[in-house]
Each structure stands twice: as C-alpha cells, then as structure tokens.
Amino acid sequence: MEKIAFFDTKPYDKVWFDKLNTDFEIKYIESKLTTDTAHAARGCKAVVAFVNDNIGSDVIDVLCEIGVKLIALRCAGYNNVDLKYAKDKINIVRVPVYSPYAIAEHTMALLLGVNRKIPRAFIRTRDFNFSLNGLTGFDLHGKTAGIIGTGQIGRVFIDICRGFGMKIIAYDPCPAEGCDIEYVSLDKLLAESDVISLHCPLTTETRYIINEASIAKMKDGVVILNTSRGQLIDTDALLQALKDKKIRGAGLDVYEEETELFFEDYSSTIIQDDVLSLLVSLPNVIMTSHQAFLTDEALQKIAEVTLFNLKQFFDGEALQNSVVYQK
Ligand code: NAI
C-alpha cells in the first residue's frame, strides 16, 4: 500500500478518511506542514495538506528532496501554495467543490447572528438578563446584498438571500452565464449594498479589496461578511470603520493573520495579536475560526475527492483536479 502523510490532522478529518480509505496507508500527523515537519513524510510519495499549511518554496524543496511527488490539498483554495515555484517540481491537486451550501449557509448564519445579535442575546438569557436594550436589528427583506464573486459559493448565497426577500447585485470580472444576476461595477456595488459578502478567491487583484478607500465608498451602516479569505480585508481599515460606526457589523470566518491561530485552542494563553483581540471584543463582530466548510456532507466529499485525487496519481492517470501555475 502506498503511504500518505496527512498533515494538520484534526479528529473531524479522520472520521471520513478512515471510513472511506481502502487503498492507502495514511500516516496522520497533527502538526502543520512546515520545513521541519515535512521530514515526517519521508517514505511517502504524497502528502495531504490543508488551508493554513503554508506551502512556500522552502517546504516544496524539502518535500522534493525526500521524494514527495504530490501535494493533495484537502480544500478548494490554493493561495497558500507557491504554484510558480511548484511548477515542474511537484504536482498539486485540490478539492475544487465540496459543498458550496456549507459555506453559503454559514455566511447567512453570520449575517443573522450579527444583525439580530444572537450571541449577545444567548449570553444574556443564560444569565437571566431578559433586557432587549441594544439588540435591535433590521429586516433583511427588501435590503440589497452585494455579492463579490459569483462562483459556486456566491451563487448559493445569492439564492439564500433571495429566500429572505433581498435584492441582489453582484460584481465579478467573469460573470456567470445563464444566471439571473444583476452585475454592476464594484463601485456601484459598494455604494448601494446594505450587506456586502465576499466570495472571490484571494489573488493579487483581490488582496485588500476591502480597504480604507473602498469602505469610504460604502453606505453608512453596511454589514460586511467574509467567509472567503482573511486577506481580502485590510483589518485595520475594517476596525477603524467599525469604531466610526461606518460599518454596522461584521461576520468573519477568516482573518488575515489566522494561519498560526485558527483551528487551535489558545483559550488559556494571552493572544499577542492586538488587532484580533480588539476585533473579537467588539459587540457587533462575530468571528468564527474558518469553520464555514465544517459540515458532515463537506467533510465526506473532501475525503472522497482527495482519495480519488490520490488514486488518480498513483494509477498514473491525468490529474482531473490538478492546480497549475498560470501567469
Ligand atoms: P469559485 O472559483 O467557484 O468562484 C470564485 C468567483 O470569484 C469566480 O466567479 C471568479 O470569477 C470570481 N472572482 C475572481 N476574481 C474576482 C475579483 N477580482 N472580484 C470579484 N470576483 C472575482 O470559488 P468558490 O468555490 O465559490 O469559493 C470562493 C472562495 O471561498 C474560495 O476562493 C475560498 O477562498 C473560499 N472558501 C472558504 C471556505 C471556508 O471554510 N471559509 C471553504 C471553501 C472556500
């Protein structure tokens, strides 16, 4: 049996891989994939990595040196991989789609949570504080949702918003064909949306797409949702706008400096990231720890497709889900 080194393992990852795997000997490793931990893959031709494994040139060098030929990402995004450097050295595959519903539904959960202040209400009632002061929200019905990125997830989120009676406008340089979506310029979207939700990938063009200048173009009292990638938002600019009450609230599943923090328990330590501490402390911000994907259906699909990707590689077939560097 071919051996696979599986990095950044969490108990919820193992459930479906153990259930579905029949072809490989999987070596589960709790650590993230780094230049130091990469050596644990010695003897394996393939490694499985996740979204916060920082796969730069140094890690790729170590993997190549010990004979690894394939990095199978068990996620859709691949901004954490230096694709240019990987070209012609090592194969990269990913899980392009697993459950757009999981992420879109979590986005709506964040919107409802922020708008109707559910976490605060929950804490109050548990303390037998039945006061409603400060918990006023707004009707979503009739409001405008501005969707940045209308791929798999953005389109499911649009359907969900429509179910709430929201008007939809969208911005995407590659508009989806055959969809009944009103596309507008980014500036118009910023100016007209009551809720702005990010569903585009992290690229050089989209990095800090939400920044001081773009925030200045937004309506007062807008709600920002980000379940895509942390670096789409300049967090300092977001914080300032939240303090200024320009932005009414934010629902964030990702954070630009999440790599060293998310997926781990730091509840007994003092977090050194002051920006994160301040953000989390605000009453109108809900942050989750990159968990939008975390449903049974998504985890099952991630395991199925990753095992399929591995099998294709070891069977010498063309890699259906390969990711290649494009200029
Ligand atoms: P997709 O590839 O189906 O859609 C992305 C869309 O963004 C495409 O329509 C593309 O044309 C558009 N886009 C590209 N550049 C843009 C720009 N400059 N401005 C506006 N739109 C632009 O991707 P999918 O599956 O919908 O995923 C979207 C993002 O969600 C991923 O890139 C990933 O970062 C994030 N994600 C987050 C997860 C989580 O657990 N929080 C899980 C899975 C994905």
Side-chain angles (χ1 to χ4, degrees):
M1 267 193 179
E2 293 287 353
K3 280 193 199 153
I4 311 293
F6 192 109
F7 285 90
D8 206 2
T9 311
K10 295 285 181 285
Y12 48 81
D13 292 314
K14 287 182 70 179
V15 174
W16 283 103
F17 275 89
D18 282 347
K19 205 178 267 187
L20 300 174
N21 172 40
T22 48
D23 297 311
F24 307 106
E25 185 185 329
I26 301 182
K27 181 178 175 185
Y28 290 110
I29 299 160
E30 283 185 19
S31 325
K32 286 199 171 65
L33 177 55
T34 65
T35 44
D36 290 334
T37 63
H39 291 279
R42 199 174 287 279
C44 305
K45 284 203 194 72
V47 301
V48 175
F50 197 44
V51 64
N52 280 337
D53 289 316
N54 193 352
I55 306 171
S57 55
D58 46 355
V59 169
I60 293 170
D61 278 344
V62 177
L63 292 175
C64 291
E65 196 184 298
I66 61 172
V68 173
K69 306 270 183 248
L70 176 81
I71 300 172
L73 299 169
R74 56 182 194 281
C75 52
Y78 47 85
N79 54 281
N80 54 327
V81 184
D82 187 340
L83 285 183
K84 191 175 179 183
Y85 193 77
K87 191 171 179 282
D88 301 327
K89 291 189 183 74
I90 196 160
N91 297 286
I92 315 285
V93 285
R94 66 172 181 140
V95 183
V97 188
Y98 40 89
S99 170
Y101 309 103
I103 295 100
E105 289 170 14
H106 190 79
T107 312
M108 182 46 88
L110 289 175
L111 174 55
L112 292 171
V114 168
N115 176 29
R116 306 306 295 267
K117 305 175 172 64
I118 304 299
R120 295 179 64 202
F122 170 70
I123 290 164
R124 281 191 196 181
T125 52
R126 277 185 41 146
D127 200 27
F128 301 103
N129 172 358
F130 301 111
S131 160
L132 300 183
N133 294 337
L135 298 184
T136 309
F138 60 88
D139 284 8
L140 293 181
H141 185 92
K143 297 296 185 306
T144 299
I147 312 299
I148 301 183
T150 55
Q152 317 267 359
I153 298 168
R155 292 205 302 276
V156 176
F157 187 61
I158 286 173
D159 287 345
I160 294 173
C161 290
R162 283 185 172 144
F164 278 78
M166 299 185 82
K167 180 189 172 200
I168 304 296
I169 53 175
Y171 168 71
D172 192 315
C174 303
E177 282 172 24
C179 293
D180 177 24
I181 298 172
E182 181 188 343
Y183 285 98
V184 295
S185 67
L186 182 57
D187 277 358
K188 190 167 158 69
L189 181 145
L190 296 172
E192 293 186 2
S193 302
D194 300 293
V195 173
I196 295 177
S197 195
L198 297 169
H199 299 288
C200 54
L202 175 62
T203 62
T204 39
E205 289 81 47
T206 60
R207 186 173 181 274
Y208 283 181
I209 194 167
I210 303 299
N211 55 37
E212 195 184 338
S214 58
I215 290 171
K217 293 174 186 166
M218 293 176 193
K219 265 188 179 178
D220 291 345
V222 62
V223 173
I224 304 288
L225 304 169
N226 188 7
T227 53
S228 274
R229 285 294 179 265
Q231 286 181 38
L232 296 176
I233 297 183
D234 175 347
T235 315
D236 288 333
L238 174 69
L239 256 181
Q240 192 54 52
L242 284 160
K243 283 195 214 162
D244 296 344
K245 300 195 174 69
K246 168 81 183 173
I247 292 179
R248 181 182 176 119
L252 310 170
D253 187 48
V254 286
Y255 168 59
E256 59 173 313
E257 300 296 338
E258 72 179 51
T259 311
E260 299 302 321
L261 295 166
F262 279 22
F263 308 133
E264 307 301 331
D265 179 2
Y266 289 106
S267 55
S268 304
T269 47
I270 308 240
I271 292 292
Q272 299 299 320
D273 182 334
D274 293 348
V275 172
L276 177 64
S277 301
L278 186 52
L279 200 55
V280 167
S281 74
L282 296 181
N284 48 350
V285 172
I286 296 180
M287 187 178 268
T288 51
S289 175
H290 207 136
Q291 72 167 76
F293 73 98
L294 200 64
T295 66
D296 287 331
E297 291 77 2
L299 291 171
Q300 177 176 354
K301 187 83 184 196
I302 286 170
E304 276 171 10
V305 176
T306 304
L307 291 167
F308 167 81
N309 289 341
L310 291 166
K311 192 152 178 3
Q312 274 205 319
F313 172 74
F314 284 107
D315 289 349
E317 292 171 18
L319 299 174
Q320 206 171 300
N321 295 317
S322 93
V323 192
V324 283
Y325 173 69
Q326 280 161 346
K327 275 188 198 161

